[in-house]
Amino acid sequence: MKEVTFIRQNLEKWRGYETVAESPALSTPDEMADAYIDVTSDLAFSQTHYPKSRITLYLNNLASAIHQNIYRNKRERWSRIITFWTQEVPQTMWEARRELRLSFIIFLISVVVGLVSQLIDPEFSRLILGNSYVDMTLENIENGNPMAVYDGDPEGLMFVGITTNNIKVSFVAFVSGLLTSFCTGFVLLQNGIMLGAFQTFFAQHGLLWDSALAIWLHGTIEISAIIVAGAAGIAMGNGWLFPGTYSRLYSFRRGAKRGLKIVIGTVPLFCVAGFIESFMTRHTEWSDLFRLTVILLSAAFIIYYYVVLPYLRNKVQTSNHKNYANRKAQD
């Protein structure tokens, strides 16, 4: 069967199932179960005949949404706290992998813009970071302690302030998606340019290695979490800008739920990053090997949790959908 014929024959039925996914309270348990069986059956057919098609992705998302509605009324256990981060967030990150890729690209380009701007105009950092901060840093460099900014306050007070501010930045990046994903992109642009200029500023004073060890000790997790939060905002903004085959309202609500789950998932990361910045970054006397090891371990965790694990989770879920549909077809 040609793909266009397959879509034409089932499009109205799938749109009806969107209502089941969007408003589960209006459907009985039997209706939701029947919808799930039917969608997974179509998904198995689509995966077999059109594995690279957008309709396969659409059916996979629709099946996942109905599946969640079927089990959402089950009594929650304390283990939900664990499964939220071990299962739900990775699966959501797979669904938002395009938004994550876009967020990363925007941030990377912004860093390059900040780097080049600082190289062209050494005073650019004053425009981005402020005169008082730059003057303070120059004074610290002259005093032989360029990273003194990280030990100016007591650890506990610094932890609360840094963590609160980082979480606020992540939610700003997410909420900006209400105004369109372009606004979230602007938040990423600001933070990326600031990072590029900041790192280049130290490099111009012969402190590239020392500053990189200090900044990326906590920044590996912190910056990664900001990029992830940017993906959450883009997911919400794209929900109503580019609804695709969904209704605009359903697409927005779906994007908002996905984005909120993603941004909530970053909170522990900001707590860890805040702890490292408050209690560890100030210790520039620690060996380079130890600090580099922390950076590499942090990077490995981010890559695994936000790239590798989502892929593995999706692979398992897709296989389960297909096996379930095949069993029902045999019955």
Side-chain angles (χ1 to χ4, degrees), residues 52-118:
K52 302 297 183 179
S53 172
R54 290 175 60 86
I55 197 62
T56 301
L57 176 61
Y58 165 78
L59 289 172
N60 187 60
N61 290 336
L62 185 58
S64 297
I66 297 174
H67 180 273
Q68 291 175 4
N69 287 336
I70 292 175
Y71 291 98
R72 69 168 24 176
N73 292 325
K74 292 178 66 177
R75 186 175 181 180
E76 298 289 356
R77 300 180 178 178
W78 64 268
S79 59
R80 171 67 189 279
I81 299 176
I82 298 175
T83 58
F84 174 79
W85 273 281
T86 60
Q87 298 181 21
E88 293 183 40
V89 173
Q91 180 60 37
T92 302
M93 290 308 307
W94 174 258
E95 296 170 0
R97 62 191 182 279
R98 291 181 178 84
E99 290 85 351
L100 179 62
R101 188 184 305 123
L102 178 58
S103 180
F104 175 77
I105 291 172
I106 293 173
F107 193 86
L108 183 61
I109 292 174
S110 303
V111 171
V112 174
V113 170
L115 185 155
V116 173
S117 299
Q118 180 65 23

Side-chain angles (χ1 to χ4, degrees), residues 25-324:
L26 301 179
S27 304
T28 66
D30 288 340
E31 289 174 337
M32 283 194 287
D34 290 342
Y36 180 68
I37 293 172
D38 201 6
V39 172
T40 52
S41 179
D42 290 339
L43 174 61
F45 181 86
S46 183
Q47 287 174 331
T48 301
H49 296 87
Y50 329 111
K52 302 297 183 179
S53 172
R54 290 175 60 86
I55 197 62
T56 301
L57 176 61
Y58 165 78
L59 289 172
N60 187 60
N61 290 336
L62 185 58
S64 297
I66 297 174
H67 180 273
Q68 291 175 4
N69 287 336
I70 292 175
Y71 291 98
R72 69 168 24 176
N73 292 325
K74 292 178 66 177
R75 186 175 181 180
E76 298 289 356
R77 300 180 178 178
W78 64 268
S79 59
R80 171 67 189 279
I81 299 176
I82 298 175
T83 58
F84 174 79
W85 273 281
T86 60
Q87 298 181 21
E88 293 183 40
V89 173
Q91 180 60 37
T92 302
M93 290 308 307
W94 174 258
E95 296 170 0
R97 62 191 182 279
R98 291 181 178 84
E99 290 85 351
L100 179 62
R101 188 184 305 123
L102 178 58
S103 180
F104 175 77
I105 291 172
I106 293 173
F107 193 86
L108 183 61
I109 292 174
S110 303
V111 171
V112 174
V113 170
L115 185 155
V116 173
S117 299
Q118 180 65 23
L119 288 175
I120 294 174
D121 180 10
E123 296 298 312
F124 179 74
S125 56
R126 293 184 177 274
L127 177 64
I128 299 299
L129 303 172
N131 288 323
S132 59
Y133 186 87
V134 172
D135 290 337
M136 176 191 66
T137 304
L138 289 173
E139 183 179 349
N140 290 336
I141 293 174
E142 292 177 0
N143 293 334
N145 188 12
M147 299 295 118
V149 66
Y150 293 111
D151 62 3
D153 296 315
E155 289 94 334
L157 182 63
M158 190 174 178
F159 169 73
V160 173
I162 289 174
T163 304
T164 301
N165 180 72
N166 288 340
I167 292 174
K168 182 181 73 173
V169 170
S170 72
F171 275 88
V172 167
F174 167 62
V175 173
S176 296
L178 286 170
L179 303 177
T180 71
S181 47
F182 296 105
C183 294
T184 296
F186 181 72
V187 175
L188 291 169
L189 183 71
Q190 287 180 309
N191 284 274
I193 290 176
M194 185 181 300
L195 175 63
F198 187 60
Q199 187 71 81
T200 307
F201 170 81
F202 281 106
Q204 290 173 326
H205 290 82
L207 295 167
L208 177 60
W209 178 251
D210 292 336
S211 65
L213 285 177
I215 294 170
W216 291 102
L217 188 65
H218 62 273
T220 302
I221 294 177
E222 180 182 304
I223 297 302
S224 299
I226 290 175
I227 294 173
V228 171
I234 293 173
M236 180 166 64
N238 284 352
W240 66 271
L241 277 179
F242 310 107
T245 55
Y246 296 107
S247 66
R248 193 173 297 277
L249 177 60
Y250 174 75
S251 180
F252 171 74
R253 292 178 59 182
R254 178 170 168 268
K257 289 179 181 178
R258 178 190 296 175
L260 184 60
K261 185 176 292 187
I262 292 172
V263 80
I264 290 176
T266 64
V267 172
L269 295 181
F270 284 119
C271 291
V272 172
F275 176 86
I276 293 174
E277 184 172 358
S278 304
F279 291 89
M280 298 175 64
T281 302
R282 65 181 60 211
H283 293 287
T284 55
E285 75 279 4
W286 289 355
S287 71
D288 291 358
L289 178 60
F290 172 77
R291 291 188 290 169
L292 184 60
T293 300
V294 173
I295 292 172
L296 293 177
L297 288 175
S298 298
F301 169 77
I302 292 296
I303 293 172
Y304 174 77
Y305 187 73
Y306 285 105
V307 179
V308 178
L309 185 59
Y311 170 78
L312 296 176
R313 289 293 182 192
N314 178 75
K315 188 175 181 180
V316 170
Q317 187 179 65
T318 300
S319 177
N320 290 340
H321 286 331
K322 190 172 183 178
N323 292 337
Y324 183 83

